[in-house]
Amino acid sequence: MAQSAAVATPPPKAKKPEQKAPKRRTASPRRLPYLLIAPAGLLMLGFIAYPVISVFYYSLQNYNVTKPWRNGFAGLDNFTRIFTEDDQFWSTLGFSAQWVFTQVTLQLALGLALALIVNQTFIGRGISRALVFSPWAVSGVLTSTIWILLYNSSTGFSRYLADAGIGDYGTSVLSDTGTVFWAATVTELWRGVPFFAILILADLQSVSKELYEAAAVDGAGRFRQFFHITLPHLRDAIILATLLRGVWEFNNVDLLYTLTGGGPAGETTTLPLYVANTGIEGHDFGYASALTTVAFVILLFCSIVYLRLSKFGGDHK
Amino acid sequence: MTAALVEKKDSAPGNAPRPSSPPPFSARRPKRERAFDDVPRWQIYVPLGIYLLFTLIPFYWMLLFAVRPAGSTSLVPWPMTGEHFSKVWNERSFAVFFQNSMIVGVATLIATTLVALAGGYALARFDFKIKGGFMLALLCSQFIPGALMLVPLFEIFKNLQLINSLVSVVIAETVFQLPLSIILISGFIKNVPVTLEEAAWVDGCSRFKAFCAVVLPLLRPGLIAVGSFAFVHSWNHFLFALMFLSEQDKQTIPVGLNTLIGADSVDLGALAAGGVIAAVPVVIVFAFIQKWLITGFSAGAVKG
């Protein structure tokens, strides 16, 4: 209905006799965008920018609730402590790297496979999609809850396997340093793969069918179609998804905090978990802030390097 | 899409692999049939079946523990009992946690959607001086570890006297949802042709009225994706509630669950029942939005 009018009179103010409405539209675009981003901007200034700046500020301070007499400006003391004295920093950083790398590669591989499968047309596709994506909706704590029930040594899955003659009762896989990494990895995959699959599936839908048909006519088999059409098309989505996911896996503490508590013996403590322990349980806010700053810089550096190396948004199409 | 679906219907019914189906590179097969889409059925159903088991067994396990009587080791949830649920709901105050989580979830949903809608519209429809900077700030904020901002956030909320108030959690959740929501929504709005809006202006609508009448209805899938995201995230998120709400009657479901995990002797039945209670709302939301989710992402996120 509105469209026909637009065609009739393209310039907005040509027809309307009363000035008010057009004037508001032509005059406001100066200030309107600022007004529109004001709520978001103010919230982010107050609750992201300001806290970030205070983290940087605290990182230069001795700020420990339990030792208030020592509080004050510390210069770079916290940072020299991190890099020269703190073995735990290096070990948690190493575990973080291992954790992020394992999660992102496995989630990408499985998520891509899953997306390709449920992108096919087959009977029961809708319900299958809903079911395999459902762990997406589940939180870190709930995921931990479920898998704690599964991993429980006396009533969990292993007990039934042992009863059936596979494996033995043993201890819980979560308290064994040899198995805890893979136990936690499988748990996080359960929740992480659907997210990846959803993102990739979303992008798969926009590949035009004609491309495949043309390729098929030219005699390209399924694998060549995959490597020459599907993968290049998914490129940017995959780069972005792996980056965001990597950052998220690095930063997230919900799952490991509730599943293993960072244990056994600090075996599954990521850097953010270490920071949370230092700052919140250890009350050493200054040192925790310095660790935060270091984590932030590492993350930013890795992200920039990753985007450069992967040539994100490059002209590949 | 529909054409492929109809075409498939003819060849799909037998889920057994077609006996004559040749290896993919072979030229014996008629060319029309070798579209990428056309995969032997077992290559779909076998991996999908395995993945379905991996997805569903944990859910089944939780349901099983939640409904079978304490001490039972049966793998079949029969006879059923509600004892774990009533225990968790009443004695472990999950009724209160549930209500608090609902308040936080719905408030975050509304706040995030409204603020992101305004911001996303500005990014999609205007060029303004600080636009680049604003976009950069949105992207950069993704790299800031939420867990690491706890201390300064705690101090801010203490100064605002919002500790132990659900408002603090709603604000924190909203703020951390905003960047992605704004980027998503601006992507959706960009997909709505400007000419539609301009037509409405010519008809005498104000910008706001035109937006409500023309753009908003077309944004429905996007808004559902963003809103449900905000709800699910705030429903699930644990750390802010844990830190900012110290009184037990203000706590949310994930924190309640964590106290059950942390108990010295873990009551697995209660833990499972608590898990089911925590899962129900998000699963309902998920079932409802599932089909919009994928279109939502493809329209908003990936095209950015």
Side-chain angles (χ1 to χ4, degrees), chain B residues 20 27 49 55 79 89 98 108 114 138 163 179 188 200 216 251 261 271:
Chain B
S20 66
T55 301
W89 191 257
F98 191 91
T108 306
L114 286 180
L138 292 181
I163 291 296
F188 295 127
L216 216 46
Q251 283 297 2
I261 293 174
L271 186 60

Side-chain angles (χ1 to χ4, degrees), chain A residues 5 16 24-25 34 58 63 120-121 130 136-137 139 155 160 190 193 202-203 222 225 251 258 292 303, chain B residues 1 8 36-37 41 43 45 51 55 73 129 143 145 148 155 202-203 205-206 229 236 258 268 286 298 302:
Chain A
K16 289 288 154 194
R24 208 167 43 207
R25 280 198 305 274
Y34 294 99
Y58 290 151
Y63 178 25
Q120 307 288 329
T121 19
W136 167 81
S139 68
T155 55
Y160 292 92
W190 181 77
V193 170
D203 205 32
R222 273 167 54 212
Q225 290 178 19
N251 284 334
T258 49
T292 305
S303 307
Chain B
M1 175 80 199
K8 274 269 81 92
F36 182 76
D37 209 35
R41 300 291 96 181
Q43 286 185 17
Y45 288 117
Y51 200 85
T55 301
T73 56
K129 259 189 202 155
F143 296 99
L148 313 183
E155 296 196 329
V202 174
D203 281 357
C205 289
S206 69
F229 233 59
N236 284 335
N258 187 51
L268 295 175
F286 177 78
S298 61
V302 188

